[in-house]
C-alpha cells in the first residue's frame, strides 16, 4: 500500500542511543521482595563513546551508586549489568553514562540527557503485585449495554425513558441525552459473543449494569442488583458463564465517587439525619450536599466513613466483593472517576481506597484486574500498590488524536478547553514518553490504551478518514499496554462527541459496516496475539518526526519495528545492526524495508502504518 509521492530530501539518519526499560529483556525480576538484588541490564552503542556505566539508586531518598559490569556484546551494541538492591517498596534508579573527557549523561525513562534532570522520570522497581499475568496479553472490548444488542425479551419501558427504535438517530446533546432508551440488554450481548471471538477479543468490559434512571447508569439507585431492564442478576450470571466458556474474561464498571440521588442510601440519609447513611455523603446546612461536578443528581460519597468503605469495598459482602464471586464471577473492575474517589476539600482518601479495593480483590478473586479511570494526569497516583493501571487517555489517546486529527474536526476532547490541535509527531511522542516514564513499568504495561470510548468522539470522526483511523488502530494494537476497542470502532462507526458516539451497533445494516476496518482489526489482533513482543516486549523509540514515528518492541527472541506516517515524508536510515541477519519480514502494511550493508532503510510512504520483524 503506497501513498502520494514522497517529499524530496535525504532520508533522516537515525542514531539509536543507549536504552533501558522495565521489560524482561532488561530487568531480571518482575516482582522483587525487600532485600532482593535485581539484575538490571543496559545496552549502549559499541561506538557511542561510553566508557563505563553505573546506576544512581535511591535508598531512603538518598542517592547511592552501583557499578555496572560489561556483560557481552551483539550486533554493534554492548551490554552492562548491575545488581540493584531493593531497600524500599519503590526503588528508583537512573543510568549514569561516563563519557570520559566529554563528561557524562543520564539515561531515564524519557531517554538520554546531557544535563542534570529531576527524579520524576527515573526507572522504578516495586515490590507490589503488578496484577494478573493474563492482563498483559489481553485485548479489551468496551460495551455500552443499552446500545450493543437486544435479546428480544419484552420488558416495559420505564417512565423516565424516551423509547427509541434501534435505527433511530441518537440525541447528541441537550435534553433527552441520558433518557433516550434503546433497550439493549445482557442476553443480547451474550448472543453476540461470537462477534468478539471472531475479532480475537479476550476481555469484555461492560459500562455500569446497576439500576438507574438513565441509559448510562452512572447514577445508580442500588448496587445490590443488576438492572432488570438488562435482564437482572440471572442475565449477568448467564453472560459471565458464556464468556468464561468461550475463553473470555468479563470486567465490570463501578462508580466509587458518587451514587444517584435516588439511591437507597441517599434517600435514607435525606429522610433521617441520624441514619448511618448520613455519614456516607457530604451534607451541609439544610440538606445541601456535595455532588459530582455540581450535578445534583450525583451526590458525592464521603469516604471518611468506615462503614461506607466496608459496604462498598470490604472483603465480606461488599459491592466490590459480591460481584466477583459465583455465580457472577466478574474478573475485575474498572473504577469510574477514580481520580476523584475519596477526595473532597481537605479529605484525600484516594490512595487508601485504591489499596482497600486491591486488598479485597486479592482476598476474593486474586486473578482479577483493577483499572482506574483518569481522563487526565494519573502519574502521581499509580505507584502500583493500588490501581493496577489507568485508562490511558492522557498518555496515549490524546497524543494519537492530536497527531491524526483531521481539518474538519473542531471540537474539544476530554479535558482540553479548546479544539484539539494537530501537532507534529515530535511533540506527541514526547507526551507518550513522559506519561510512560512517570509510573513503574509494570503499571504502564497494564494501562488500557484507547482511541475511542463511550465518553469521546469516535476515532473515525476525529481523523475524518478511514485511512487515518486505521493507522490509529495499528498504533493501538502495537503500543505498550493493553488495547481497548470501543464496540463499533471495528465497523467504522462515527460520532462527534461521547453521546453521539453511542450509536447502536448496526447488526442488521451491513451496508453501514466498513469491511476493510473490520478485517484490519481482526488482522491486528491476530498479529498481536502471535507476537509476544507486542504484548510483553520493551519499547524503544527510533523515529520521531513531524509526520512519521517508529518504535521497536523487543524480547530476547524477537525484534519488531512499528512505523506510522500520517503523510509522505523523507524516510529514515536506521542502523544496520538492528537487522543483524540482513532480513526484514513485513508482517503488516504491505511496504517492504530495504536493508543495505550500511542501513535499514524505512521508505517515506504515507499515510501508512506497518510492522516488520527485524530479528
Amino acid at each position: 500500500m503506497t501513498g502520494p509521492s514522497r517529499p524530496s530530501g535525504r532520508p533522516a539518519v537515525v542514531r539509536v542511543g543507549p536504552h533501558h526499560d522495565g521489560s524482561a529483556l532488561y530487568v531480571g525480576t518482575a516482582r522483587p521482595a525487600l532485600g532482593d538484588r535485581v539484575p538490571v541490564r543496559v545496552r549502549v552503542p559499541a561506538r557511542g563513546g561510553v566508557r563505563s556505566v553505573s546506576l544512581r539508586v535511591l535508598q531512603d531518598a538518598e542517592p547511592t551508586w552501583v557499578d555496572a559490569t560489561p556483560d557481552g556484546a551483539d550486533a554493534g551494541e554492548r551490554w552492562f549489568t548491575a545488581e540493584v538492591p531493593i531497600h524500599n517498596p519503590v526503588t528508583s534508579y537512573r543510568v549514569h553514562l561516563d563519557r570520559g573527557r566529554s563528561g557524562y549523561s543520564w539515561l531515564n525513562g524519557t531517554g538520554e540527557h546531557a544535563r542534570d534532570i529531576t527524579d520524576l522520570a527515573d526507572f522504578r522497581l516495586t515490590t507490589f503485585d503488578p496484577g494478573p499475568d493474563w492482563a498483559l496479553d489481553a485485548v479489551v472490548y468496551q460495551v455500552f449495554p443499552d446500545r450493543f444488542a437486544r435479546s428480544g425479551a419484552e420488558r416495559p419501558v420505564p417512565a423516565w425513558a424516551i423509547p427509541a427504535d434501534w435505527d433511530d438517530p441518537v440525541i447528541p446533546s441537550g435534553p433527552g441525552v441520558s433518557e433516550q432508551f434503546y433497550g439493549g440488554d445482557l442476553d443480547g450481548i451474550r448472543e453476540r459473543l461470537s462477534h468478539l471471538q471472531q475479532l480475537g477479543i479476550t476481555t469484555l468490559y461492560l459500562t455500569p449494569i446497576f439500576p438507574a434512571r438513565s441509559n448510562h447508569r452512572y447514577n445508580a439507585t442500588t448496587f445490590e442488583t443488576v438492572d432488570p431492564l438488562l435482564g437482572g442478576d440471572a442475565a449477568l450470571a448467564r453472560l459471565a458463564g458464556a464468556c468464561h466458556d468461550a475463553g473470555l474474561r468479563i470486567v465490570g464498571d463501578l462508580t466509587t465517587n458518587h451514587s444517584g440521588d435516588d439511591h437507597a442510601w441517599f434517600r435514607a440519609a435525606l429522610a433521617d439525619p441520624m441514619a448511618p447513611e448520613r455519614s456516607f455523603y457530604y451534607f451541609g446546612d439544610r440538606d445541601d450536599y456535595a455532588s459530582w461536578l455540581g450535578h445534583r443528581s450525583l451526590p458525592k460519597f464521603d469516604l471518611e466513613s468506615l462503614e461506607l468503605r466496608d459496604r462498598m469495598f470490604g472483603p465480606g459482602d461488599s459491592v466490590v466483593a459480591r460481584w466477583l464471586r459465583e455465580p457472577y464471577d466478574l474478573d475485575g473492575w474498572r473504577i469510574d472517576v477514580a481520580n476523584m474517589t475519596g477526595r473532597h476539600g481537605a479529605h484525600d482518601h484516594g490512595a487508601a481506597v485504591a489499596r482497600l479495593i486491591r486488598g479485597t480483590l486479592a482476598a476474593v478473586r486474586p486473578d482479577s484486574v483493577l483499572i482506574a479511570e483518569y481522563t487526565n494526569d494519573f502519574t502521581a497516583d499509580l505507584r502500583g500498590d493500588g490501581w493496577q493501571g489507568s485508562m490511558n487517555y492522557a498518555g496515549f489517546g490524546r497524543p494519537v488524536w492530536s497527531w491524526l486529527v483531521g481539518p474538519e474536526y473542531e471540537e474539544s476532547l476530554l479535558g482540553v478547553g479548546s479544539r484539539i490541535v494537530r501537532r507534529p509527531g515530535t511533540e506527541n511522542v514526547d507526551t507518550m514518553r513522559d506519561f510512560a516514564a512517570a509510573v513503574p513499568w509494570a503499571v504502564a504495561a497494564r494501562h488500557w490504551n484507547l482511541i475511542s470510548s463511550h465518553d469521546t468522539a469516535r476515532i473515525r470522526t476525529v481523523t475524518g478518514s478511514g485511512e487515518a483511523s486505521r493507522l490509529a488502530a495499528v498504533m493501538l494494537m502495537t503500543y505498550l499496554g493493553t488495547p481497548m476497542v470501543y464496540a463499533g470502532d471495528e465497523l467504522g462507526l462515527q460520532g462527534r462527541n461521547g453521546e453521539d458516539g453511542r450509536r447502536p451497533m448496526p447488526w442488521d445494516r451491513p451496508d453501514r459496516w466498513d469491511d476493510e476496518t473490520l478485517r484490519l482489526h481482526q488482522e491486528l489482533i491476530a498479529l498481536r496475539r502471535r507476537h509476544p513482543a507486542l504484548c510483553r516486549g520493551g519499547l524503544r523509540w527510533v523515529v520521531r518526526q513531524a509526520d512519521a514515528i517508529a518504535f521497536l518492541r523487543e524480547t530476547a527472541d524477537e525484534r519488531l519495528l512499528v512505523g506510522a506516517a500520517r503523510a509522505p515524508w523523507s524516510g529514515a536510515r536506521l542502523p544496520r545492526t538492528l537487522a543483524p541477519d540482513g532480513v526484514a519480514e513485513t508482517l503488516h502494511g504491505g511496504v517492504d524495508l530495504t536493508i543495505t550493508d550500511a542501513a535499514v532503510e524505512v521508505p517515506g510512504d504515507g499515510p501508512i502504518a506497518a510492522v516488520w520483524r527485524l530479528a
Side-chain angles (χ1 to χ4, degrees):
M1 179 167 55
T2 60
S5 59
R6 303 170 191 167
S8 58
R10 292 178 176 273
V13 177
V14 175
R15 168 186 171 269
V16 177
H19 184 73
H20 171 76
D21 60 44
S23 68
L25 187 58
Y26 300 93
V27 174
T29 305
R31 186 191 173 189
L34 290 176
D36 285 354
R37 300 183 69 86
V38 176
V40 168
R41 305 184 75 208
V42 180
R43 69 197 313 163
V44 301
R47 299 182 179 181
V50 175
R51 291 178 51 178
S52 65
V53 175
S54 57
L55 268 60
R56 174 187 177 270
V57 182
L58 293 186
Q59 291 191 5
D60 300 332
E62 177 67 19
T64 62
W65 293 87
V66 179
D67 290 334
T69 57
D71 190 20
D74 56 52
E77 293 180 308
R78 293 184 294 156
W79 288 87
F80 291 81
T81 297
E83 298 281 332
V84 174
I86 305 302
H87 180 69
N88 303 109
V90 178
T91 297
S92 299
Y93 63 97
R94 67 172 77 150
V95 179
H96 179 268
L97 302 169
D98 181 3
R99 297 182 176 277
R101 295 179 64 85
S102 300
Y104 66 90
S105 60
W106 297 110
L107 178 67
N108 67 6
T110 57
E112 185 180 7
H113 304 274
R115 57 180 175 83
D116 286 330
I117 54 178
T118 71
D119 297 344
L120 294 176
D122 281 4
F123 305 108
R124 295 169 183 82
L125 296 171
T126 75
T127 60
F128 311 126
D129 179 1
D133 197 59
W134 62 261
L136 295 173
D137 303 316
V139 179
V140 178
Y141 190 78
Q142 182 190 30
V143 165
F144 189 82
D146 184 59
R147 310 291 165 85
F148 189 71
R150 290 171 172 166
S151 66
E154 293 292 334
R155 300 187 181 96
V157 176
W160 57 262
I162 301 171
D165 291 331
W166 202 252
D167 288 334
D168 287 351
V170 299
I171 300 171
S173 60
V177 160
S178 297
E179 293 76 34
Q180 190 176 30
F181 179 74
Y182 285 85
D185 58 22
L186 300 184
D187 284 321
I189 299 170
R190 179 173 55 83
E191 292 166 0
R192 296 287 182 176
L193 288 182
S194 60
H195 176 74
L196 278 63
Q197 292 176 284
Q198 290 164 9
L199 275 177
I201 297 298
T202 69
T203 303
L204 168 64
Y205 153 50
L206 302 173
T207 59
I209 57 175
F210 301 116
R213 294 172 60 83
S214 69
N215 52 40
H216 55 72
R217 298 183 171 89
Y218 283 102
N219 55 331
T221 62
T222 180
F223 300 117
E224 303 293 323
T225 62
V226 174
D227 194 335
L229 296 172
L230 293 174
D233 295 2
L236 178 61
R238 288 192 295 270
L239 175 58
C243 284
H244 294 146
D245 289 345
L248 301 172
R249 308 276 180 168
I250 178 170
V251 175
D253 193 328
L254 181 61
T255 302
T256 56
N257 178 73
H258 55 264
S259 70
D261 62 353
D262 49 0
H263 193 286
W265 296 343
F266 188 69
R267 304 316 297 177
L270 281 178
D272 181 4
M274 303 305 294
E277 290 83 3
R278 186 80 174 187
S279 68
F280 292 6
Y281 299 90
Y282 288 99
F283 279 100
D285 296 335
R286 299 180 181 178
D287 287 338
D288 189 25
Y289 56 90
S291 59
W292 179 69
L293 299 182
H295 294 283
R296 301 287 291 169
S297 62
L298 301 172
K300 182 175 175 64
F301 285 135
D302 180 357
L303 288 165
E304 186 93 343
S305 168
L306 298 182
E307 182 174 349
L308 175 58
R309 294 192 198 186
D310 189 56
R311 289 198 201 181
M312 285 289 291
F313 316 126
D317 191 30
S318 70
V319 174
V320 164
R322 180 183 311 122
W323 302 101
L324 300 178
R325 296 189 173 107
E326 293 182 346
Y328 313 109
D329 285 332
L330 294 184
D331 293 292
W333 291 104
R334 176 265 199 191
I335 302 299
D336 182 52
V337 288
N339 58 308
M340 299 179 71
T341 290
R343 288 173 166 153
H344 183 69
H347 289 175
D348 189 349
H349 304 298
V353 168
R355 289 193 293 266
L356 177 57
I357 300 175
R358 188 70 177 274
T360 295
L361 265 61
V364 176
R365 196 177 183 89
D367 202 30
S368 52
V369 295
L370 182 62
I371 300 297
E373 184 203 25
Y374 282 68
T375 57
N376 293 290
D377 189 357
F378 47 74
T379 57
D381 290 348
L382 272 74
R383 301 192 328 153
D385 56 339
W387 318 123
Q388 294 169 5
S390 174
M391 295 187 75
N392 200 7
Y393 288 101
F396 183 80
R398 192 169 290 121
V400 170
W401 295 331
S402 182
W403 192 49
L404 296 176
V405 63
E408 302 301 318
Y409 191 79
E410 298 185 348
E411 300 184 34
S412 63
L413 279 166
L414 274 185
V416 179
S418 59
R419 63 168 295 188
I420 192 163
V421 177
R422 185 175 172 92
R423 291 195 171 97
T426 48
E427 295 180 7
N428 290 305
V429 169
D430 285 349
T431 296
M432 295 168 80
R433 294 180 76 167
D434 284 348
F435 278 95
V439 297
W441 178 268
V443 172
R446 284 169 170 77
H447 287 328
W448 284 7
N449 298 327
L450 66 161
I451 52 178
S452 303
S453 81
H454 70 300
D455 284 327
T456 74
R458 292 275 186 176
I459 186 65
R460 182 66 167 265
T461 304
V462 172
T463 62
S465 77
E467 196 166 36
S469 66
R470 290 189 283 270
L471 191 154
V474 174
M475 295 177 65
L476 177 68
M477 294 297 168
T478 57
Y479 187 67
L480 173 67
T482 299
M484 189 201 84
V485 178
Y486 179 32
D489 269 7
E490 76 277 17
L491 304 182
L493 293 194
Q494 300 208 36
R496 298 199 65 81
N497 56 33
E499 301 291 350
D500 190 30
R502 298 175 186 177
R503 301 179 187 184
M505 290 286 283
W507 297 115
D508 299 325
R509 298 289 186 269
D511 56 303
R512 300 181 187 174
W513 296 25
D514 182 330
D515 292 334
E516 184 178 352
T517 296
L518 177 60
R519 286 193 298 271
L520 175 72
H521 278 78
Q522 292 170 324
E523 292 168 5
L524 289 173
I525 293 172
L527 179 71
R528 181 180 179 86
R529 296 181 68 175
R530 281 198 307 270
H531 294 278
L534 296 177
C535 303
R536 298 166 178 262
L539 177 71
R540 246 199 308 178
W541 288 96
V542 292
V543 174
R544 176 179 161 275
Q545 297 199 5
D547 290 324
I549 61 177
F551 52 84
L552 298 169
R553 300 300 312 273
E554 298 168 294
T555 64
D557 301 317
E558 188 172 47
R559 173 180 293 146
L560 304 184
L561 173 65
V562 179
R566 67 183 183 183
W569 60 300
S570 62
R573 303 184 72 200
L574 305 181
R576 172 63 171 75
T577 54
L578 292 177
D581 300 329
V583 176
E585 179 186 359
T586 302
L587 302 177
H588 175 80
V591 170
D592 294 335
L593 299 179
T594 299
I595 300 181
T596 68
D597 291 339
V600 176
E601 297 185 353
V602 182
D605 301 85
I608 191 173
V611 182
W612 302 275
R613 179 161 49 198
L614 300 183

